[in-house]
mmCIF file with all atom_site columns, all heavy atoms in Angstrom:
data_model
loop_
_atom_site.group_PDB
_atom_site.id
_atom_site.type_symbol
_atom_site.label_atom_id
_atom_site.label_alt_id
_atom_site.label_comp_id
_atom_site.label_asym_id
_atom_site.label_entity_id
_atom_site.label_seq_id
_atom_site.pdbx_PDB_ins_code
_atom_site.Cartn_x
_atom_site.Cartn_y
_atom_site.Cartn_z
_atom_site.occupancy
_atom_site.B_iso_or_equiv
_atom_site.pdbx_formal_charge
_atom_site.auth_seq_id
_atom_site.auth_comp_id
_atom_site.auth_asym_id
_atom_site.auth_atom_id
_atom_site.pdbx_PDB_model_num
ATOM 1   N N   . LEU B 1 135 ? 116.819 101.296 125.012 1.00 98.00 ? 392 LEU B N   1
ATOM 2   C CA  . LEU B 1 135 ? 115.838 102.325 124.611 1.00 98.00 ? 392 LEU B CA  1
ATOM 3   C C   . LEU B 1 135 ? 116.011 102.724 123.153 1.00 98.00 ? 392 LEU B C   1
ATOM 4   O O   . LEU B 1 135 ? 115.031 102.935 122.436 1.00 98.00 ? 392 LEU B O   1
ATOM 5   C CB  . LEU B 1 135 ? 115.969 103.580 125.490 1.00 98.00 ? 392 LEU B CB  1
ATOM 6   C CG  . LEU B 1 135 ? 115.378 103.500 126.897 1.00 98.00 ? 392 LEU B CG  1
ATOM 7   C CD1 . LEU B 1 135 ? 115.717 104.775 127.671 1.00 98.00 ? 392 LEU B CD1 1
ATOM 8   C CD2 . LEU B 1 135 ? 113.856 103.308 126.856 1.00 98.00 ? 392 LEU B CD2 1
ATOM 9   N N   . THR B 1 136 ? 117.269 102.832 122.708 1.00 98.00 ? 393 THR B N   1
ATOM 10  C CA  . THR B 1 136 ? 117.497 103.185 121.301 1.00 98.00 ? 393 THR B CA  1
ATOM 11  C C   . THR B 1 136 ? 116.891 102.117 120.396 1.00 98.00 ? 393 THR B C   1
ATOM 12  O O   . THR B 1 136 ? 116.177 102.421 119.431 1.00 98.00 ? 393 THR B O   1
ATOM 13  C CB  . THR B 1 136 ? 118.997 103.353 121.027 1.00 98.00 ? 393 THR B CB  1
ATOM 14  O OG1 . THR B 1 136 ? 119.501 104.400 121.867 1.00 98.00 ? 393 THR B OG1 1
ATOM 15  C CG2 . THR B 1 136 ? 119.264 103.725 119.579 1.00 98.00 ? 393 THR B CG2 1
ATOM 16  N N   . ALA B 1 137 ? 117.163 100.858 120.718 1.00 98.00 ? 394 ALA B N   1
ATOM 17  C CA  . ALA B 1 137 ? 116.617 99.772  119.905 1.00 98.00 ? 394 ALA B CA  1
ATOM 18  C C   . ALA B 1 137 ? 115.091 99.726  119.992 1.00 98.00 ? 394 ALA B C   1
ATOM 19  O O   . ALA B 1 137 ? 114.398 99.551  118.991 1.00 98.00 ? 394 ALA B O   1
ATOM 20  C CB  . ALA B 1 137 ? 117.228 98.439  120.344 1.00 98.00 ? 394 ALA B CB  1
ATOM 21  N N   . TYR B 1 138 ? 114.562 99.917  121.198 1.00 98.00 ? 395 TYR B N   1
ATOM 22  C CA  . TYR B 1 138 ? 113.103 99.875  121.381 1.00 98.00 ? 395 TYR B CA  1
ATOM 23  C C   . TYR B 1 138 ? 112.405 100.933 120.532 1.00 98.00 ? 395 TYR B C   1
ATOM 24  O O   . TYR B 1 138 ? 111.423 100.654 119.850 1.00 98.00 ? 395 TYR B O   1
ATOM 25  C CB  . TYR B 1 138 ? 112.762 100.085 122.867 1.00 98.00 ? 395 TYR B CB  1
ATOM 26  C CG  . TYR B 1 138 ? 111.276 99.995  123.160 1.00 98.00 ? 395 TYR B CG  1
ATOM 27  C CD1 . TYR B 1 138 ? 110.705 98.800  123.606 1.00 98.00 ? 395 TYR B CD1 1
ATOM 28  C CD2 . TYR B 1 138 ? 110.431 101.095 122.987 1.00 98.00 ? 395 TYR B CD2 1
ATOM 29  C CE1 . TYR B 1 138 ? 109.343 98.704  123.865 1.00 98.00 ? 395 TYR B CE1 1
ATOM 30  C CE2 . TYR B 1 138 ? 109.074 101.002 123.235 1.00 98.00 ? 395 TYR B CE2 1
ATOM 31  C CZ  . TYR B 1 138 ? 108.528 99.809  123.681 1.00 98.00 ? 395 TYR B CZ  1
ATOM 32  O OH  . TYR B 1 138 ? 107.188 99.716  123.922 1.00 98.00 ? 395 TYR B OH  1
ATOM 33  N N   . GLY B 1 139 ? 112.921 102.142 120.581 1.00 98.00 ? 396 GLY B N   1
ATOM 34  C CA  . GLY B 1 139 ? 112.267 103.243 119.868 1.00 98.00 ? 396 GLY B CA  1
ATOM 35  C C   . GLY B 1 139 ? 112.165 102.978 118.387 1.00 98.00 ? 396 GLY B C   1
ATOM 36  O O   . GLY B 1 139 ? 111.122 103.209 117.766 1.00 98.00 ? 396 GLY B O   1
ATOM 37  N N   . ALA B 1 140 ? 113.256 102.485 117.796 1.00 98.00 ? 397 ALA B N   1
ATOM 38  C CA  . ALA B 1 140 ? 113.246 102.253 116.350 1.00 98.00 ? 397 ALA B CA  1
ATOM 39  C C   . ALA B 1 140 ? 112.490 100.968 116.015 1.00 98.00 ? 397 ALA B C   1
ATOM 40  O O   . ALA B 1 140 ? 111.597 100.965 115.173 1.00 98.00 ? 397 ALA B O   1
ATOM 41  C CB  . ALA B 1 140 ? 114.672 102.192 115.817 1.00 98.00 ? 397 ALA B CB  1
ATOM 42  N N   . LEU B 1 141 ? 112.849 99.872  116.692 1.00 98.00 ? 398 LEU B N   1
ATOM 43  C CA  . LEU B 1 141 ? 112.329 98.569  116.259 1.00 98.00 ? 398 LEU B CA  1
ATOM 44  C C   . LEU B 1 141 ? 110.886 98.348  116.686 1.00 98.00 ? 398 LEU B C   1
ATOM 45  O O   . LEU B 1 141 ? 110.069 97.863  115.906 1.00 98.00 ? 398 LEU B O   1
ATOM 46  C CB  . LEU B 1 141 ? 113.212 97.441  116.811 1.00 98.00 ? 398 LEU B CB  1
ATOM 47  C CG  . LEU B 1 141 ? 114.684 97.502  116.387 1.00 98.00 ? 398 LEU B CG  1
ATOM 48  C CD1 . LEU B 1 141 ? 115.464 96.356  117.018 1.00 98.00 ? 398 LEU B CD1 1
ATOM 49  C CD2 . LEU B 1 141 ? 114.814 97.467  114.872 1.00 98.00 ? 398 LEU B CD2 1
ATOM 50  N N   . ILE B 1 142 ? 110.564 98.716  117.901 1.00 98.00 ? 399 ILE B N   1
ATOM 51  C CA  . ILE B 1 142 ? 109.236 98.383  118.424 1.00 98.00 ? 399 ILE B CA  1
ATOM 52  C C   . ILE B 1 142 ? 108.271 99.563  118.307 1.00 98.00 ? 399 ILE B C   1
ATOM 53  O O   . ILE B 1 142 ? 107.204 99.455  117.729 1.00 98.00 ? 399 ILE B O   1
ATOM 54  C CB  . ILE B 1 142 ? 109.347 97.865  119.874 1.00 98.00 ? 399 ILE B CB  1
ATOM 55  C CG1 . ILE B 1 142 ? 110.107 96.528  119.827 1.00 98.00 ? 399 ILE B CG1 1
ATOM 56  C CG2 . ILE B 1 142 ? 107.970 97.717  120.529 1.00 98.00 ? 399 ILE B CG2 1
ATOM 57  C CD1 . ILE B 1 142 ? 110.240 95.815  121.124 1.00 98.00 ? 399 ILE B CD1 1
ATOM 58  N N   . TRP B 1 143 ? 108.694 100.719 118.817 1.00 98.00 ? 400 TRP B N   1
ATOM 59  C CA  . TRP B 1 143 ? 107.786 101.878 118.829 1.00 98.00 ? 400 TRP B CA  1
ATOM 60  C C   . TRP B 1 143 ? 107.484 102.370 117.411 1.00 98.00 ? 400 TRP B C   1
ATOM 61  O O   . TRP B 1 143 ? 106.339 102.385 116.977 1.00 98.00 ? 400 TRP B O   1
ATOM 62  C CB  . TRP B 1 143 ? 108.418 102.988 119.674 1.00 98.00 ? 400 TRP B CB  1
ATOM 63  C CG  . TRP B 1 143 ? 107.641 104.254 119.789 1.00 98.00 ? 400 TRP B CG  1
ATOM 64  C CD1 . TRP B 1 143 ? 106.282 104.391 119.956 1.00 98.00 ? 400 TRP B CD1 1
ATOM 65  C CD2 . TRP B 1 143 ? 108.179 105.580 119.779 1.00 98.00 ? 400 TRP B CD2 1
ATOM 66  N NE1 . TRP B 1 143 ? 105.960 105.715 120.038 1.00 98.00 ? 400 TRP B NE1 1
ATOM 67  C CE2 . TRP B 1 143 ? 107.087 106.464 119.943 1.00 98.00 ? 400 TRP B CE2 1
ATOM 68  C CE3 . TRP B 1 143 ? 109.465 106.113 119.660 1.00 98.00 ? 400 TRP B CE3 1
ATOM 69  C CZ2 . TRP B 1 143 ? 107.255 107.853 119.984 1.00 98.00 ? 400 TRP B CZ2 1
ATOM 70  C CZ3 . TRP B 1 143 ? 109.637 107.483 119.709 1.00 98.00 ? 400 TRP B CZ3 1
ATOM 71  C CH2 . TRP B 1 143 ? 108.553 108.348 119.869 1.00 98.00 ? 400 TRP B CH2 1
ATOM 72  N N   . LEU B 1 144 ? 108.517 102.731 116.683 1.00 98.00 ? 401 LEU B N   1
ATOM 73  C CA  . LEU B 1 144 ? 108.295 103.296 115.347 1.00 98.00 ? 401 LEU B CA  1
ATOM 74  C C   . LEU B 1 144 ? 108.237 102.217 114.270 1.00 98.00 ? 401 LEU B C   1
ATOM 75  O O   . LEU B 1 144 ? 107.443 102.317 113.338 1.00 98.00 ? 401 LEU B O   1
ATOM 76  C CB  . LEU B 1 144 ? 109.397 104.311 115.016 1.00 98.00 ? 401 LEU B CB  1
ATOM 77  C CG  . LEU B 1 144 ? 109.505 105.510 115.970 1.00 98.00 ? 401 LEU B CG  1
ATOM 78  C CD1 . LEU B 1 144 ? 110.745 106.338 115.651 1.00 98.00 ? 401 LEU B CD1 1
ATOM 79  C CD2 . LEU B 1 144 ? 108.258 106.386 115.883 1.00 98.00 ? 401 LEU B CD2 1
ATOM 80  N N   . GLY B 1 145 ? 109.069 101.195 114.387 1.00 98.00 ? 402 GLY B N   1
ATOM 81  C CA  . GLY B 1 145 ? 109.162 100.202 113.319 1.00 98.00 ? 402 GLY B CA  1
ATOM 82  C C   . GLY B 1 145 ? 108.157 99.062  113.440 1.00 98.00 ? 402 GLY B C   1
ATOM 83  O O   . GLY B 1 145 ? 107.925 98.352  112.483 1.00 98.00 ? 402 GLY B O   1
ATOM 84  N N   . TYR B 1 272 ? 116.360 108.874 113.739 1.00 97.00 ? 529 TYR B N   1
ATOM 85  C CA  . TYR B 1 272 ? 115.794 108.621 115.061 1.00 97.00 ? 529 TYR B CA  1
ATOM 86  C C   . TYR B 1 272 ? 116.901 108.662 116.105 1.00 97.00 ? 529 TYR B C   1
ATOM 87  O O   . TYR B 1 272 ? 117.982 108.122 115.892 1.00 97.00 ? 529 TYR B O   1
ATOM 88  C CB  . TYR B 1 272 ? 115.112 107.245 115.069 1.00 97.00 ? 529 TYR B CB  1
ATOM 89  C CG  . TYR B 1 272 ? 114.918 106.699 116.453 1.00 97.00 ? 529 TYR B CG  1
ATOM 90  C CD1 . TYR B 1 272 ? 113.907 107.205 117.271 1.00 97.00 ? 529 TYR B CD1 1
ATOM 91  C CD2 . TYR B 1 272 ? 115.766 105.735 116.969 1.00 97.00 ? 529 TYR B CD2 1
ATOM 92  C CE1 . TYR B 1 272 ? 113.754 106.757 118.567 1.00 97.00 ? 529 TYR B CE1 1
ATOM 93  C CE2 . TYR B 1 272 ? 115.618 105.271 118.260 1.00 97.00 ? 529 TYR B CE2 1
ATOM 94  C CZ  . TYR B 1 272 ? 114.615 105.784 119.064 1.00 97.00 ? 529 TYR B CZ  1
ATOM 95  O OH  . TYR B 1 272 ? 114.480 105.346 120.332 1.00 97.00 ? 529 TYR B OH  1
ATOM 96  N N   . LEU B 1 277 ? 112.220 109.565 122.073 1.00 96.00 ? 534 LEU B N   1
ATOM 97  C CA  . LEU B 1 277 ? 111.436 108.612 122.869 1.00 96.00 ? 534 LEU B CA  1
ATOM 98  C C   . LEU B 1 277 ? 111.202 109.104 124.292 1.00 96.00 ? 534 LEU B C   1
ATOM 99  O O   . LEU B 1 277 ? 110.105 108.996 124.834 1.00 96.00 ? 534 LEU B O   1
ATOM 100 C CB  . LEU B 1 277 ? 112.190 107.274 122.901 1.00 96.00 ? 534 LEU B CB  1
ATOM 101 C CG  . LEU B 1 277 ? 111.629 106.172 123.798 1.00 96.00 ? 534 LEU B CG  1
ATOM 102 C CD1 . LEU B 1 277 ? 110.288 105.684 123.280 1.00 96.00 ? 534 LEU B CD1 1
ATOM 103 C CD2 . LEU B 1 277 ? 112.621 105.012 123.885 1.00 96.00 ? 534 LEU B CD2 1
#
Side-chain angles (χ1 to χ4, degrees):
Chain B
L392 283 174
T393 300
Y395 183 96
L398 301 179
I399 294 184
W400 179 41
L401 300 172
Y529 161 76
L534 174 67

